[in-house]
Amino acid sequence: MQYIDNIIFLILLVAGFGLFAKSLQKIYRNIRLGREINRSDRKSERWSTMANVAMGQSKMVKRPVAGILHIFVYVGFIIINIELIEIIVDGLFGTHRFLASVLGHGFYSFFTATLEVLALLVVIGVVIFFIRRNFYGVKRLTMKELFGWPKEDANWILIIEFALMMAFFKMNASDFILQSRGVLPVHGSFPISEMTFVPFLEIFNFDNGFLMFTEKAAWWFHFVGILFFMNYLYYSKHLHIILAFPSTWYANLEKKGKFNNLDSVTKEIKLMMDPNADPYAAPAEGAEADVPSKFGAEDVFDLNQVQLLNAYSCTECGRCTSVCPANITGKKLSPRLILMKTRDRLEEVGRNIDKNGKFVDDGKKLLNDYITKEELWACTTCNACTEACPVLLDPLSIIFEMRRFLVMEQSAAPQELNLMMTNVENNAAPWQYNQADRLNWASEN
């Protein structure tokens, strides 16, 4: 029975990481439902972009207050959970503060003191974020699209992080008192716990047994909390903690808003412009494979895999929507909501596959059932959303593809656009006048 704690720990560890791996596998499968796209070029630039944007948070600090607080929470939380290595070893082998024997007394004291300072910064960050999100009234965080689960999710994450940091301080404070009483060997330095939790515990003069229970309970809470947080990510917008890295690596490095001309259409135009081409000639072997089965995107299957990865990586911060001129002027479009709806539809498709073993037509599409034509045509393609995104997501590319479907597959462009395209076709200019009059403006000078 002396190993019962170690056995329970091992079961929880395997179950926690197993469920996490299963969730990642499901996300990977869903992303693979999209069209393949080659983003393996310019590798050195991609590594640099990922390091600067995902790891270095370079775009976050363009809004200094939120950016610096986010760095506190992000860096602090990640580094503190390096402690998970020590927790795993201690939990499996019944040791206490294993890293102390590896790092040495001096460096281990520096290490634990650093973790305490970072934990304090995390607490400060999450408290301010909670106030900003719920009481301060930041417009992009109080929009209608965040009502319900998105707001609850953001708050739950902040509460979980706060609770984990409190457990961390409580564990260290109990440990410190036990060390000072000679019950436990002296390992580590806990400056924040000494100033906050230690005085509180010493007021009540708890006995060693209670402090041992408190230290162990906080240790278990911290461990189980990390496993819970890790598996909660699948259901949360905070999945970006992981997916921001591949999203920035696979980001579009071309000029923002550059239209991706289809090879099949380009070849057709060149053929039409070639006076020596035979329009009745049989296509070369394999040429038909260049023609897509569908132009543009009607559903998530028609989007590429990077666009689906973007949908999962959205932080729902609303920076894109807050700078969108269409949204600012009261239009229905919200670039954030484009990504959120794409993710919702992709998750619905994933559940369909889980239930049936393969996708069974459910009579729904991303277009109309999730994203309306009104939203798509409200976009001015100004690229403000792609420029503002802190992890280089590209909602505009999804709008492009869905517009392409409307125009090329359904001939459902707005009347103004149809008139312009008709003029280009007939007059070689977007204006409605005879080609013979095209140079009349020059005679006026």
Side-chain angles (χ1 to χ4, degrees):
M1 294 297 291
Q2 63 177 323
Y3 298 112
I4 188 67
D5 286 355
N6 308 81
I7 294 171
I8 293 174
F9 182 90
L10 178 61
I11 292 172
L12 289 175
L13 184 68
V14 172
F17 276 90
L19 289 172
F20 181 61
K22 186 176 180 181
S23 296
L24 291 182
Q25 185 179 32
K26 189 178 293 186
I27 292 169
Y28 178 74
R29 179 206 64 188
N30 291 351
I31 291 173
R32 295 276 295 175
L33 295 174
R35 295 184 292 104
E36 291 187 7
I37 181 172
N38 185 2
R39 289 275 176 86
S40 59
D41 59 327
R42 300 156 69 175
K43 287 184 172 61
S44 60
E45 187 176 351
R46 294 188 180 281
W47 285 114
S48 175
T49 299
M50 185 182 74
N52 290 331
V53 178
M55 187 174 295
Q57 307 279 294
S58 60
K59 296 200 71 175
M60 284 296 301
V61 294
K62 289 190 174 181
R63 297 193 181 191
V65 174
I68 292 172
L69 290 173
H70 187 273
I71 290 174
F72 285 172
V73 175
Y74 178 77
V75 176
F77 191 77
I78 295 300
I79 293 178
I80 286 168
N81 284 311
I82 293 176
E83 186 198 21
L84 186 61
I85 299 171
E86 184 175 64
I87 290 177
I88 290 174
V89 175
D90 287 347
L92 291 176
F93 300 102
T95 54
H96 182 73
R97 296 196 176 273
F98 160 77
L99 286 179
S101 61
V102 176
L103 302 177
H105 178 75
F107 191 75
Y108 186 73
S109 295
F110 171 77
F111 173 69
T112 53
T114 301
L115 293 185
E116 288 243 326
V117 173
L118 290 172
L120 177 62
L121 294 178
V122 172
V123 169
I124 293 171
V126 298
V127 168
I128 295 176
F129 277 143
F130 189 86
I131 293 171
R132 288 178 79 245
R133 184 171 288 273
N134 294 280
F135 304 108
Y136 189 66
V138 179
K139 184 178 179 181
R140 62 188 172 91
L141 301 178
T142 56
M143 291 180 174
K144 183 172 64 175
E145 62 208 51
L146 292 184
F147 289 179
W149 171 247
K151 182 176 181 178
E152 293 172 9
D153 169 44
N155 285 334
W156 274 117
I157 284 289
L158 295 174
I159 292 169
I160 291 170
E161 290 180 342
F162 180 84
L164 288 174
M165 295 305 101
M166 290 298 103
F168 177 71
F169 287 133
K170 194 173 183 180
M171 176 184 73
N172 287 345
S174 302
D175 205 316
F176 174 82
I177 296 174
L178 290 169
Q179 288 182 29
S180 65
R181 294 179 182 180
V183 178
L184 293 175
V186 177
H187 293 310
S189 175
F190 316 108
I192 308 303
S193 297
E194 283 185 53
M195 291 187 294
T196 54
F197 279 81
V198 168
F200 173 78
L201 292 174
E202 287 184 333
I203 288 175
F204 297 96
N205 195 29
F206 293 120
D207 61 29
N208 293 341
F210 182 82
L211 289 173
M212 288 289 288
F213 171 80
T214 301
E215 191 270 346
K216 205 62 178 176
W219 184 90
W220 276 102
F221 182 88
H222 192 72
F223 168 65
V224 174
I226 290 172
L227 294 183
F228 176 81
F229 179 87
M230 185 170 64
N231 283 282
Y232 177 77
L233 290 180
Y234 174 76
Y235 306 96
S236 170
K237 75 185 184 72
H238 288 77
L239 196 58
H240 72 269
I241 292 173
I242 300 170
L243 296 186
F245 291 90
S247 284
T248 50
W249 201 90
Y250 287 110
N252 185 6
L253 300 181
E254 299 294 337
K255 292 181 178 180
K256 288 181 172 58
K258 181 179 178 181
F259 198 79
N260 59 326
N261 294 317
L262 298 176
D263 291 339
S264 57
V265 175
T266 302
K267 290 178 182 178
E268 189 70 20
I269 296 298
K270 288 181 178 179
L271 181 65
M272 293 171 61
M273 297 180 67
D274 184 0
N276 300 316
D278 182 1
Y280 302 104
E285 185 178 350
E288 292 183 1
D290 295 335
V291 181
S293 59
K294 182 187 293 183
F295 293 105
E298 182 184 20
D299 208 349
V300 289
F301 304 100
D302 308 318
L303 296 171
N304 67 53
Q305 292 171 3
V306 173
Q307 289 167 328
L308 299 185
L309 173 63
N310 281 186
Y312 271 123
S313 305
C314 179
T315 69
E316 298 179 13
C317 66
R319 293 190 181 203
C320 54
T321 297
S322 69
V323 297
C324 173
N327 188 276
I328 292 171
T329 54
K331 306 295 192 302
K332 192 176 180 180
L333 173 65
S334 167
R336 167 173 57 189
L337 201 52
I338 294 292
L339 290 171
M340 291 171 65
K341 288 178 176 179
T342 302
R343 181 180 61 209
D344 290 344
R345 172 57 181 165
L346 186 55
E347 277 292 291
E348 183 179 51
V349 168
R351 290 191 295 271
N352 184 310
I353 295 173
D354 291 338
K355 179 180 178 180
N356 301 296
K358 62 178 181 178
F359 179 71
V360 176
D361 188 7
D362 57 1
K364 295 181 181 180
K365 302 290 184 184
L366 180 62
L367 178 63
N368 294 326
D369 291 302
Y370 282 83
I371 299 174
T372 65
K373 297 176 184 177
E374 180 183 352
E375 292 172 86
L376 297 174
W377 292 116
C379 178
T380 66
T381 66
C382 68
N383 292 292
C385 58
T386 57
E387 179 62 37
C389 181
V391 288
L392 304 181
L393 306 186
D394 190 3
L396 181 58
S397 68
I398 296 176
I399 294 172
F400 270 173
E401 291 301 325
M402 298 186 76
R403 279 183 171 182
R404 177 178 274 158
F405 175 83
L406 288 171
V407 173
M408 299 185 70
E409 293 283 347
Q410 295 188 339
S411 299
Q415 181 180 357
E416 297 85 355
L417 187 57
N418 281 328
L419 178 62
M420 183 273 291
M421 290 188 289
T422 299
N423 288 336
V424 169
E425 183 178 0
N426 295 331
N427 307 324
W431 303 282
Q432 193 171 8
Y433 52 69
N434 192 286
Q435 290 198 47
D437 298 328
R438 288 187 63 187
L439 293 179
N440 286 352
W441 64 273
S443 61
E444 297 177 4
N445 298 325

